[in-house]
Amino acid sequence: MSLRIVVTVKYVPDATGDRHFADDLTVDRDDVDGLLSELDEYAVEQALQIAENADDAEVTVLTVGPEDAKDALRKALSMGADKAIHVEDDDLHGTDAIGTSLVLAKAIEKAGYDLVISGMASTDGTMGVVPALLAERLGVPQVTLLSEVSVEDGTVRGRRDGDAASEQLQASLPAVVSVTDQSGEARYPSFKGIMAAKKKPVESWDLSDLEIESDEVGLEGAYTTVEAASERPARTAGTIVKDEGEGGKQLAEFLASQKFI
Protein backbone atom coordinates (compact mmCIF):
# COMPACT_ATOMS: atom_id res chain seq x y z
CA MET A 1 0.00 0.00 0.00
CA SER A 2 1.31 3.44 -0.94
CA LEU A 3 2.77 5.62 1.82
CA ARG A 4 0.71 8.82 1.75
CA ILE A 5 2.76 11.84 2.80
CA VAL A 6 1.16 15.27 3.18
CA VAL A 7 3.44 18.29 3.51
CA THR A 8 1.91 21.49 4.88
CA VAL A 9 3.44 24.60 3.33
CA LYS A 10 2.80 28.31 3.60
CA TYR A 11 2.95 31.20 1.16
CA VAL A 12 4.60 34.03 3.09
CA PRO A 13 5.63 37.65 2.42
CA ASP A 14 9.22 37.99 1.26
CA ALA A 15 11.25 38.85 4.38
CA THR A 16 13.47 41.15 2.32
CA GLY A 17 10.47 43.20 1.19
CA ASP A 18 8.94 46.25 2.85
CA ARG A 19 6.08 44.73 4.84
CA HIS A 20 3.16 46.66 6.32
CA PHE A 21 -0.06 46.09 8.22
CA ALA A 22 -3.41 46.66 6.55
CA ASP A 23 -6.17 48.75 8.14
CA ASP A 24 -7.54 45.70 9.96
CA LEU A 25 -4.06 45.04 11.45
CA THR A 26 -3.44 41.93 9.38
CA VAL A 27 -0.33 41.73 7.21
CA ASP A 28 -0.88 43.53 3.90
CA ARG A 29 0.02 40.64 1.63
CA ASP A 30 -0.92 42.53 -1.53
CA ASP A 31 1.78 45.08 -0.82
CA VAL A 32 4.75 42.70 -0.97
CA ASP A 33 5.88 39.74 -3.05
CA GLY A 34 5.35 36.29 -1.58
CA LEU A 35 7.10 32.93 -1.78
CA LEU A 36 7.20 29.44 -0.30
CA SER A 37 8.36 29.72 3.30
CA GLU A 38 12.03 28.75 3.39
CA LEU A 39 11.53 26.58 6.47
CA ASP A 40 8.83 24.63 4.63
CA GLU A 41 11.31 23.76 1.87
CA TYR A 42 13.09 21.53 4.40
CA ALA A 43 9.81 19.71 5.03
CA VAL A 44 9.32 19.16 1.29
CA GLU A 45 12.89 17.88 0.99
CA GLN A 46 12.49 15.36 3.80
CA ALA A 47 9.19 14.15 2.35
CA LEU A 48 10.85 13.59 -1.02
CA GLN A 49 13.76 11.71 0.57
CA ILE A 50 11.36 9.46 2.50
CA ALA A 51 9.38 8.82 -0.69
CA GLU A 52 12.56 7.99 -2.63
CA ASN A 53 13.48 5.36 -0.03
CA ALA A 54 10.00 3.81 0.06
CA ASP A 55 8.74 1.08 -2.24
CA ASP A 56 5.65 3.11 -3.07
CA ALA A 57 4.92 6.63 -1.84
CA GLU A 58 3.02 9.74 -2.86
CA VAL A 59 3.81 13.28 -1.71
CA THR A 60 1.00 15.83 -1.56
CA VAL A 61 1.67 19.47 -0.69
CA LEU A 62 -1.11 21.39 1.05
CA THR A 63 -1.50 25.11 1.62
CA VAL A 64 -4.16 27.49 2.92
CA GLY A 65 -4.10 30.96 1.41
CA PRO A 66 -5.10 33.38 -1.34
CA GLU A 67 -4.85 32.80 -5.09
CA ASP A 68 -1.14 33.68 -5.14
CA ALA A 69 -0.45 30.82 -2.70
CA LYS A 70 -0.46 28.53 -5.73
CA ASP A 71 3.07 29.85 -6.37
CA ALA A 72 4.23 28.10 -3.19
CA LEU A 73 2.60 24.88 -4.35
CA ARG A 74 4.22 25.12 -7.78
CA LYS A 75 7.63 25.53 -6.16
CA ALA A 76 7.08 22.36 -4.10
CA LEU A 77 5.78 20.50 -7.16
CA SER A 78 8.83 21.56 -9.16
CA MET A 79 11.03 20.14 -6.38
CA GLY A 80 9.36 16.76 -6.96
CA ALA A 81 6.07 16.54 -5.05
CA ASP A 82 3.37 14.58 -6.87
CA LYS A 83 0.26 16.71 -6.41
CA ALA A 84 -1.07 19.70 -4.49
CA ILE A 85 -4.15 20.92 -2.64
CA HIS A 86 -5.02 24.60 -2.29
CA VAL A 87 -7.62 25.69 0.27
CA GLU A 88 -8.84 29.15 -0.67
CA ASP A 89 -11.82 31.07 0.68
CA ASP A 90 -12.41 34.79 1.28
CA ASP A 91 -13.65 33.98 4.79
CA LEU A 92 -10.18 32.70 5.72
CA HIS A 93 -8.77 36.24 5.84
CA GLY A 94 -7.29 36.91 9.28
CA THR A 95 -7.33 33.27 10.42
CA ASP A 96 -4.93 32.63 13.33
CA ALA A 97 -2.85 29.52 14.03
CA ILE A 98 -5.69 27.68 15.78
CA GLY A 99 -8.08 28.30 12.90
CA THR A 100 -5.40 27.36 10.38
CA SER A 101 -4.83 24.06 12.17
CA LEU A 102 -8.56 23.32 11.88
CA VAL A 103 -8.56 23.92 8.13
CA LEU A 104 -5.38 21.92 7.61
CA ALA A 105 -6.65 19.01 9.71
CA LYS A 106 -9.93 18.83 7.80
CA ALA A 107 -8.07 18.97 4.48
CA ILE A 108 -5.59 16.29 5.55
CA GLU A 109 -8.40 13.99 6.64
CA LYS A 110 -10.21 14.55 3.34
CA ALA A 111 -7.04 13.89 1.33
CA GLY A 112 -6.01 10.78 3.31
CA TYR A 113 -2.59 10.44 4.94
CA ASP A 114 -0.10 8.26 6.75
CA LEU A 115 2.48 10.92 7.58
CA VAL A 116 2.20 14.71 7.85
CA ILE A 117 5.41 16.74 7.62
CA SER A 118 5.69 20.43 8.49
CA GLY A 119 8.46 22.96 8.79
CA MET A 120 9.47 24.01 12.30
CA ALA A 121 7.66 27.37 11.92
CA SER A 122 6.54 29.83 9.27
CA THR A 123 8.88 32.70 8.47
CA ASP A 124 6.14 35.30 8.94
CA GLY A 125 4.26 34.26 12.09
CA THR A 126 7.13 32.15 13.54
CA MET A 127 4.81 30.64 16.17
CA GLY A 128 5.82 27.02 15.57
CA VAL A 129 2.63 25.62 17.14
CA VAL A 130 0.70 24.35 14.11
CA PRO A 131 2.31 20.84 13.99
CA ALA A 132 1.29 20.18 17.62
CA LEU A 133 -2.20 21.58 17.02
CA LEU A 134 -2.52 19.38 13.93
CA ALA A 135 -1.53 16.24 15.83
CA GLU A 136 -4.10 17.05 18.53
CA ARG A 137 -6.89 17.61 16.01
CA LEU A 138 -6.00 14.46 14.06
CA GLY A 139 -5.61 12.40 17.23
CA VAL A 140 -2.17 11.06 16.24
CA PRO A 141 1.34 11.19 17.77
CA GLN A 142 3.61 14.17 17.16
CA VAL A 143 7.39 14.01 16.78
CA THR A 144 8.56 17.59 16.35
CA LEU A 145 11.72 19.63 15.70
CA LEU A 146 13.64 16.80 14.05
CA SER A 147 17.08 17.23 12.55
CA GLU A 148 16.87 13.77 11.00
CA VAL A 149 13.83 11.70 10.00
CA SER A 150 13.12 8.33 8.39
CA VAL A 151 10.23 5.89 7.98
CA GLU A 152 10.42 2.12 8.13
CA ASP A 153 7.91 -0.66 8.84
CA GLY A 154 5.09 1.69 9.80
CA THR A 155 7.23 3.72 12.20
CA VAL A 156 8.66 7.21 11.85
CA ARG A 157 11.99 7.80 13.61
CA GLY A 158 14.01 10.93 14.09
CA ARG A 159 16.64 12.82 16.04
CA ARG A 160 15.90 16.00 17.96
CA ASP A 161 18.96 18.07 18.81
CA GLY A 162 18.91 20.21 21.94
CA ASP A 163 21.46 22.53 23.52
CA ALA A 164 22.94 19.82 25.74
CA ALA A 165 21.84 16.52 24.21
CA SER A 166 20.18 14.77 21.30
CA GLU A 167 17.08 12.58 21.59
CA GLN A 168 16.12 9.61 19.43
CA LEU A 169 12.34 9.58 18.98
CA GLN A 170 9.82 7.37 17.21
CA ALA A 171 6.09 7.04 16.69
CA SER A 172 3.75 4.66 14.92
CA LEU A 173 2.06 5.89 11.77
CA PRO A 174 -0.12 7.80 11.22
CA ALA A 175 1.80 10.68 12.78
CA VAL A 176 2.74 14.35 12.46
CA VAL A 177 6.37 15.45 12.37
CA SER A 178 8.11 18.78 11.96
CA VAL A 179 11.68 19.25 10.77
CA THR A 180 14.23 21.96 11.44
CA ASP A 181 16.55 23.82 9.08
CA GLN A 182 19.29 21.38 10.16
CA SER A 183 17.55 18.41 8.52
CA GLY A 184 19.30 18.82 5.18
CA GLU A 185 19.57 21.41 2.44
CA ALA A 186 16.52 21.58 0.19
CA ARG A 187 17.10 20.73 -3.46
CA TYR A 188 16.83 23.28 -6.24
CA PRO A 189 14.11 22.64 -8.81
CA SER A 190 15.57 21.47 -12.13
CA PHE A 191 14.31 22.78 -15.45
CA LYS A 192 12.71 19.40 -16.04
CA GLY A 193 11.02 19.62 -12.63
CA ILE A 194 9.73 23.12 -13.33
CA MET A 195 8.21 22.04 -16.63
CA ALA A 196 6.74 18.86 -15.11
CA ALA A 197 5.13 20.87 -12.28
CA LYS A 198 2.91 22.65 -14.78
CA LYS A 199 1.17 19.36 -15.57
CA LYS A 200 0.77 18.09 -12.00
CA PRO A 201 -2.71 18.25 -10.47
CA VAL A 202 -3.64 21.06 -8.08
CA GLU A 203 -7.01 20.62 -6.38
CA SER A 204 -8.83 23.70 -5.06
CA TRP A 205 -11.11 23.42 -2.02
CA ASP A 206 -13.05 25.99 -0.03
CA LEU A 207 -14.61 25.95 3.44
CA SER A 208 -17.78 24.25 2.25
CA ASP A 209 -15.74 21.38 0.83
CA LEU A 210 -14.28 20.87 4.32
CA GLU A 211 -17.59 21.40 6.14
CA ILE A 212 -16.20 24.35 8.11
CA GLU A 213 -18.41 27.30 9.06
CA SER A 214 -17.12 30.78 8.30
CA ASP A 215 -17.39 31.87 11.96
CA GLU A 216 -14.88 29.18 12.95
CA VAL A 217 -12.08 30.91 11.03
CA GLY A 218 -11.06 34.39 9.90
CA LEU A 219 -10.87 37.41 12.16
CA GLU A 220 -14.25 36.59 13.68
CA GLY A 221 -13.18 33.12 14.75
CA ALA A 222 -9.62 34.01 15.80
CA TYR A 223 -8.54 33.30 19.37
CA THR A 224 -5.74 35.85 19.05
CA THR A 225 -5.91 39.43 17.81
CA VAL A 226 -3.53 42.32 17.17
CA GLU A 227 -4.58 45.31 19.27
CA ALA A 228 -2.11 47.83 17.87
CA ALA A 229 0.87 48.02 15.52
CA SER A 230 3.42 50.64 14.60
CA GLU A 231 6.19 50.82 12.05
CA ARG A 232 9.73 50.10 13.14
CA PRO A 233 11.58 53.38 13.84
CA ALA A 234 13.96 54.50 11.12
CA ARG A 235 17.60 53.68 11.71
CA THR A 236 19.61 56.40 13.38
CA ALA A 237 23.28 57.12 12.98
CA GLY A 238 25.46 54.85 15.08
CA THR A 239 27.89 55.90 17.77
CA ILE A 240 31.38 56.53 16.39
CA VAL A 241 34.26 55.85 18.74
CA LYS A 242 37.51 57.58 17.79
CA ASP A 243 40.48 55.69 19.15
CA GLU A 244 42.84 58.21 20.68
CA GLY A 245 44.20 55.79 23.21
CA GLU A 246 40.92 55.20 25.03
CA GLY A 247 39.01 53.41 22.23
CA GLY A 248 38.98 50.02 23.90
CA LYS A 249 37.71 51.46 27.16
CA GLN A 250 34.98 53.47 25.41
CA LEU A 251 33.90 50.40 23.44
CA ALA A 252 33.70 48.29 26.61
CA GLU A 253 31.68 51.02 28.37
CA PHE A 254 29.26 51.23 25.43
CA LEU A 255 28.77 47.43 25.32
CA ALA A 256 28.23 47.37 29.07
CA SER A 257 25.67 50.20 28.87
CA GLN A 258 23.72 48.16 26.29
CA LYS A 259 24.03 45.06 28.51
CA PHE A 260 25.93 43.15 25.81
CA ILE A 261 28.67 42.33 28.32
Side-chain angles (χ1 to χ4, degrees):
M1 185 175 180
S2 176
L3 175 66
R4 300 166 299 172
I5 306 172
V6 178
V7 186
T8 61
V9 300
K10 190 175 183 182
Y11 181 73
V12 299
D14 188 343
T16 63
D18 191 12
R19 294 166 291 176
H20 300 91
F21 283 100
D23 292 339
D24 60 2
L25 295 181
T26 61
V27 177
D28 188 349
R29 297 179 184 274
D30 295 329
D31 195 42
V32 63
D33 291 334
L35 72 170
L36 170 63
S37 176
E38 181 184 359
L39 292 174
D40 289 341
E41 291 187 21
Y42 296 97
V44 175
E45 176 62 32
Q46 292 308 307
L48 295 175
Q49 289 190 27
I50 290 170
E52 288 165 359
N53 292 320
D55 293 332
D56 185 16
E58 181 179 64
V59 177
T60 301
V61 285
L62 165 65
T63 196
V64 177
E67 173 67 23
D68 289 345
K70 282 189 173 68
D71 291 344
L73 296 176
R74 290 297 179 194
K75 172 69 178 294
L77 291 172
S78 67
M79 290 171 66
D82 299 299
K83 61 181 183 179
I85 298 170
H86 180 203
V87 181
E88 179 187 8
D89 197 299
D90 290 342
D91 287 330
L92 286 167
H93 174 72
T95 301
D96 63 1
I98 294 176
T100 297
S101 72
L102 171 64
V103 178
L104 288 173
K106 291 284 190 179
I108 290 166
E109 288 177 330
K110 182 178 174 67
Y113 73 102
D114 298 298
L115 177 65
V116 179
I117 305 181
S118 301
M120 60 189 290
S122 63
T123 54
D124 55 352
T126 63
M127 294 184 68
V129 298
V130 168
L133 292 171
L134 265 181
E136 176 68 19
R137 290 191 183 278
L138 295 170
V140 300
Q142 58 168 306
V143 188
T144 55
L145 301 176
L146 300 181
S147 305
E148 184 179 273
V149 61
S150 63
V151 174
E152 187 176 0
D153 298 329
T155 300
V156 58
R157 294 179 173 84
R159 188 186 77 243
R160 179 190 293 155
D161 296 325
D163 293 334
S166 293
E167 301 171 287
Q168 295 292 333
L169 307 169
Q170 69 178 51
S172 298
L173 298 181
V176 173
V177 305
S178 69
V179 297
T180 72
D181 53 358
Q182 301 301 308
S183 59
E185 201 67 33
R187 67 192 68 186
Y188 288 102
S190 64
F191 177 75
K192 181 179 179 182
I194 293 171
M195 298 306 294
K198 297 179 179 180
K199 299 180 180 179
K200 293 179 179 179
V202 179
E203 290 192 65
S204 294
W205 296 342
D206 60 18
L207 291 178
S208 64
D209 292 317
L210 303 177
E211 300 181 351
I212 297 174
E213 299 296 329
S214 60
D215 60 1
E216 297 180 86
V217 294
L219 287 173
E220 182 180 348
Y223 284 75
T224 57
T225 184
V226 177
E227 296 289 342
S230 59
E231 290 191 14
R232 179 185 299 172
R235 284 190 176 184
T236 58
T239 302
I240 299 175
V241 177
K242 294 184 178 180
D243 188 3
E244 298 177 351
E246 296 288 322
K249 181 180 178 181
Q250 292 180 59
L251 178 60
E253 290 175 348
F254 172 77
L255 292 175
S257 69
Q258 301 297 314
K259 299 183 178 180
F260 291 135
I261 58 174

